[in-house]
Amino acid sequence: MLTFYKQMFLTLCIGLLGALLFQLLHIPMPWLLGAITAVLCVQLFTKIQLQWHKYFRNVGLIVAGYSIGFAFTKEAVQDIQQFLGSIIVLNLIFILLFFAISFLVAKRTELDYPTALTCCVPGGMTQIVAFAEEQGNMNMAVITFYQVLRVLLIVGFVPLLVTGTGENIVTVDGTLSLPLFILLLICGVAGCLAQKVRIPTGYMLGPVFLLMGLNITGLEVPKMPISFLHLAQLVIGIYIGLLLKKEDLHLSKKHVFYAFISAGLFIGAAYALSFIMKNLYELDFRTGFLSIVPGGLDQMGIIAASVHANVTIVTAFQLFRVLIVSIFLVPLVKIFVKKAKT
């Protein structure tokens, strides 16, 4: 047990050093990208054993949820209504793209179609990997690599693309206070309850829904210091950096190539569609792109809060995608898997 805690402390130090180095080099979102890069490099290219408890990631999600929920004012919620049609159409486009990419991967890598579908589901990485493990006869190394690589590419590439676009927004930093700490604790309880009732990304959405309710009722919510968001980026970045294991790299060059191709097609499609959104609604590029790209509700939410995009719009789009993946895509993949077994 002592060794485990030593490895966690070492992992924290490596992530923190990476964050400070990226900040020194003025690389966008250093607390997230620096932590990911440092931990990933040590994990893949050294024999050092790294450990990180999910508890820290969950605390980061609660803090991110507070930051996102803070932006859900009554006016912001009303503004989301105009995007409902686009949310539906864009998800239909990505479903068609998902089937097309899955077919391409199945053909070119000689994977069976159910496995190719599982590899290419756009979002819901944790849920998809858990589903594949339950099947017992799927190639977990390939599925995990495709899912993790997509997340790493999106989380690593998207901040570099959206930072510095649009207007420079000056934000007012929050201050430490007793009401803030009490509300953060209540948000922690809300996150745990949301997770227990199996709400997707419950640790983040619990606080989001709680603060949304407080804002709508007109109660004053204290603003969180930006240093808290940096801490959330650090603990989440370390978690993401540890997702890719050395054994995941022992795949054929064909699988590695098409994993990059599939992720690139999703990112490229989101990039193109974001300009359409910009023209339709006069959205800034970073809000449109973060709303569309299939990177996961938690990752895109914290990036949106960090680069000062419209987090209410980003969260609404990404939340709808999570629901589509949970309600439609995962059951559909299950049907293909059952048919393949019979």
Side-chain angles (χ1 to χ4, degrees):
M1 183 62 71
L2 186 60
T3 303
F4 177 77
Y5 287 120
K6 284 182 178 178
Q7 290 173 342
M8 278 207 305
F9 180 71
L10 177 61
T11 305
L12 174 62
C13 291
I14 291 170
L16 185 58
L17 285 173
L20 293 174
L21 177 62
F22 271 45
Q23 189 172 48
L24 186 66
L25 296 174
H26 302 290
I27 295 174
M29 291 191 66
W31 295 91
L32 180 70
L33 298 186
I36 292 173
T37 304
V39 170
L40 185 62
C41 288
V42 172
Q43 168 116 317
L44 295 182
F45 304 118
T46 73
K47 294 183 179 180
I48 297 173
Q49 296 294 314
L50 300 180
Q51 297 285 351
W52 197 240
H53 202 288
K54 283 186 178 180
Y55 168 80
F56 296 108
R57 190 275 313 254
N58 297 339
V59 170
L61 290 177
I62 290 167
V63 172
Y66 187 105
S67 179
I68 293 168
F70 182 85
F72 269 87
T73 61
K74 188 183 297 185
E75 295 76 16
V77 172
Q78 291 173 346
D79 289 342
I80 292 173
Q81 297 176 8
Q82 64 178 308
F83 298 102
L84 292 179
S86 295
I87 289 174
I88 295 170
V89 171
L90 286 170
N91 275 281
L92 287 174
I93 291 172
F94 268 90
I95 289 172
L96 294 174
L97 185 63
F98 156 65
F99 282 115
I101 292 174
S102 301
F103 182 77
L104 172 68
V105 169
K107 281 289 185 182
R108 303 300 297 177
T109 63
E110 299 176 356
L111 285 174
D112 59 277
Y113 195 55
T115 301
L117 283 171
T118 311
C119 287
C120 300
V121 173
M125 179 190 70
T126 304
Q127 185 182 1
I128 291 300
V129 171
F131 159 74
E133 287 176 339
E134 291 170 2
Q135 304 311 306
N137 61 346
M138 286 187 150
N139 191 327
M140 287 304 303
V142 173
I143 292 169
T144 303
F145 182 76
Y146 271 75
Q147 289 289 334
V148 170
L149 183 69
R150 189 191 73 251
V151 171
L152 287 175
L153 285 178
I154 289 175
V155 174
F157 175 71
V158 167
L160 299 175
L161 190 61
V162 300
T163 303
T165 59
E167 301 174 359
N168 293 319
I169 301 173
V170 178
T171 57
V172 179
D173 198 7
T175 56
L176 295 174
S177 64
L178 182 60
L180 174 65
F181 278 112
I182 293 173
L183 192 51
L184 276 171
L185 288 174
I186 296 172
C187 283
V189 174
C192 292
L193 290 175
Q195 194 71 21
K196 279 190 177 295
V197 297
R198 298 189 176 183
I199 294 176
T201 325
Y203 287 112
M204 189 176 81
L205 286 182
V208 168
F209 292 147
L210 173 64
L211 264 71
M212 185 194 306
L214 294 177
N215 281 330
I216 290 174
T217 56
L219 293 176
E220 186 176 349
V221 176
K223 185 171 177 59
M224 187 175 64
I226 193 68
S227 57
F228 280 39
L229 191 57
H230 290 164
L231 181 63
Q233 292 176 42
L234 177 67
V235 296
I236 292 172
I238 291 172
Y239 174 82
I240 294 172
L242 289 174
L243 290 176
L244 194 61
K245 313 292 184 184
K246 281 183 181 178
E247 51 267 28
D248 295 332
L249 300 181
H250 301 314
L251 299 175
S252 68
K253 291 181 180 179
K254 186 179 288 187
H255 279 308
V256 174
F257 176 75
Y258 280 99
F260 275 96
I261 289 295
S262 61
L265 288 172
F266 280 125
I267 295 173
Y271 182 81
L273 289 169
S274 63
F275 287 101
I276 298 176
M277 288 288 292
K278 185 177 180 180
N279 291 329
L280 282 176
Y281 299 106
E282 297 183 354
L283 284 178
D284 60 278
F285 172 77
R286 52 190 159 195
T287 297
F289 188 51
L290 290 170
S291 298
I292 299 169
V293 70
L297 174 59
D298 46 355
Q299 290 94 7
M300 294 306 100
I302 197 168
I303 292 173
S306 302
V307 301
H308 312 307
N310 189 321
V311 293
T312 56
I313 295 173
V314 172
T315 304
F317 273 79
Q318 294 291 344
L319 178 57
F320 194 86
R321 175 176 289 112
V322 168
L323 296 176
I324 289 293
V325 169
S326 302
I327 297 171
F328 178 69
L329 290 186
V330 172
L332 192 63
V333 171
K334 287 181 180 179
I335 292 172
F336 276 97
V337 171
K338 286 181 181 179
K339 285 185 177 181
K341 288 180 178 179
T342 57

